[in-house]
Amino acid sequence: MVPLTKTGPGRDFPPLRIEPKSRVFVLTGAGISAESGVATFRDANGLWEQHRVEDVATPEGFQRDPLLVWRFYSERRRQVARVQPNPAHLALAQLGEALGDRLFLCTQNVDPLHEQAGSRGVLHMHGELCSTRCASCDRAPFRDEAVYFDRVPRCACGGQLRPDVVWFGEVPLSMPRIFAALERCDLFVTVGSSGAVYPAAGFVSHLRNVPNARGQFARCVYLGLEKPDNAHSFDECRLGRAGELLPALFQVL
Ligand code: APR
């Protein structure tokens, strides 16, 4: 049976105590980068109010009009080049220092702010904004901060290059690694994600059904401005800004 979700202002909850052998899985979404000035997707004035998902974030949209897609992602590249990590990214980098490989940090974000804050080994399940790959051949993705507003870049093979991000209708990256880490964790925390996009939105319900390696169910906590669509699967929803709540969220024992 799923317990009732405790919901309230984040500051009213005690810190999450992390026992010496506990493993923590943190999933971040666009909300963690909002205070850095990166636009979210589904909030008022979010990216999906101004752009049609079908046009800029699907393989079919890229086939129809690759230059429109490159203009959209070039704008995003310009935006992230101007921003800095905020206290929420920094707090997760510190947590990584304290826990080492007992922290698994998985992000849906394509921005590099976790890395800029000092986090290592971040799993970008929806790809990375400053990475480009070929839409035709299997040349490895490469780092690319360039912007393309007036031409579609080409690969040496002659094919079109595309942003190395995961679009709707494509499979997110490294799912076997993600599920292996989920099934080992004792504490699962989602930060700033509306819980509307699968498979990430389903991680928490997976943890409701599958006990971890110690035979226990992970504690599941949401932290963000408002209750996400999948709120009912969490034990707690701690409401508030990530930059204010995350620095005091964890107590490592
Ligand atoms: N602190 C915490 N949470 C915040 C903050 C903040 N300062 N600002 C906004 N939020 C919350 C919003 O309340 C919202 O629930 O962050 C969430 C952002 O939700 P979305 O915009 O839907 O972003 P996300 O869940 O990461 O989207 C998932 O959708 O289009 C795709 O590929 C894209 O990775 C993205 C995926």
Side-chain angles (χ1 to χ4, degrees):
M1 199 179 73
V2 178
L4 281 179
T5 308
K6 264 172 99 184
T7 302
R11 61 177 180 279
D12 294 351
F13 289 81
L16 297 169
R17 291 157 63 92
I18 302 176
E19 306 285 338
K21 290 195 173 153
S22 293
R23 290 184 171 272
V24 182
F25 189 118
V26 176
L27 170 70
T28 63
I32 196 169
S33 296
E35 287 157 75
S36 292
V38 181
T40 60
F41 297 95
R42 291 171 189 77
D43 291 311
N45 292 322
L47 288 171
W48 297 155
E49 263 189 12
Q50 294 151 42
H51 303 269
R52 281 163 42 97
V53 172
E54 307 86 312
D55 291 341
V56 298
T58 62
E60 295 78 19
F62 185 73
Q63 264 186 354
R64 266 197 310 273
D65 192 344
L67 187 56
L68 178 77
V69 173
W70 265 117
R71 285 186 180 146
F72 175 75
Y73 286 96
S74 294
E75 201 46 63
R76 310 273 78 71
R77 283 185 181 181
R78 273 202 180 150
Q79 187 187 41
V80 303
R82 291 194 294 259
V83 302
Q84 301 289 328
N86 69 54
H89 299 104
L90 295 168
L92 289 178
Q94 264 180 16
L95 186 68
E97 290 281 312
L99 297 184
D101 68 2
R102 291 192 291 127
L103 173 68
F104 191 90
L105 179 52
C106 176
T107 187
Q108 296 166 89
N109 299 344
V110 294
D111 68 55
L113 293 175
H114 282 305
E115 286 81 0
Q116 286 175 14
S119 285
R120 275 171 292 198
V122 182
L123 197 152
H124 284 268
M125 63 179 289
H126 292 170
E128 293 182 67
L129 189 57
C130 293
S131 176
T132 294
R133 67 182 171 87
C134 182
S136 304
C137 76
D138 51 12
R139 158 187 184 183
F142 59 95
R143 195 171 165 73
D144 183 16
E145 291 171 10
V147 292
Y148 306 98
F149 284 102
D150 50 12
R151 70 182 176 94
V152 176
R154 293 261 169 197
C155 176
C157 79
Q160 291 174 329
L161 291 173
R162 57 163 279 181
D164 187 22
V165 298
V166 176
W167 287 325
F168 287 95
E170 297 182 319
V171 181
L173 308 176
S174 305
M175 294 307 291
R177 257 187 78 206
I178 291 175
F179 274 90
L182 282 169
E183 289 172 14
R184 277 201 311 264
C185 80
D186 303 283
L187 172 63
F188 172 78
V189 179
T190 297
V191 182
S193 180
S194 57
V197 176
Y198 286 76
F203 293 170
V204 62
S205 55
H206 180 77
L207 292 174
R208 286 272 160 244
N209 294 313
V210 181
N212 66 17
R214 300 183 210 215
Q216 291 162 352
F217 288 96
R219 181 175 176 189
C220 298
V221 175
Y222 180 78
L223 187 155
L225 273 189
E226 58 201 357
K227 277 171 76 172
D229 292 359
N230 55 357
H232 61 277
S233 294
F234 287 92
D235 296 299
E236 297 168 12
C237 286
R238 299 179 175 216
L239 304 183
R241 288 155 72 96
E244 284 166 17
L245 297 178
L246 252 182
L249 184 65
F250 300 103
Q251 186 183 1
V252 180
L253 300 175

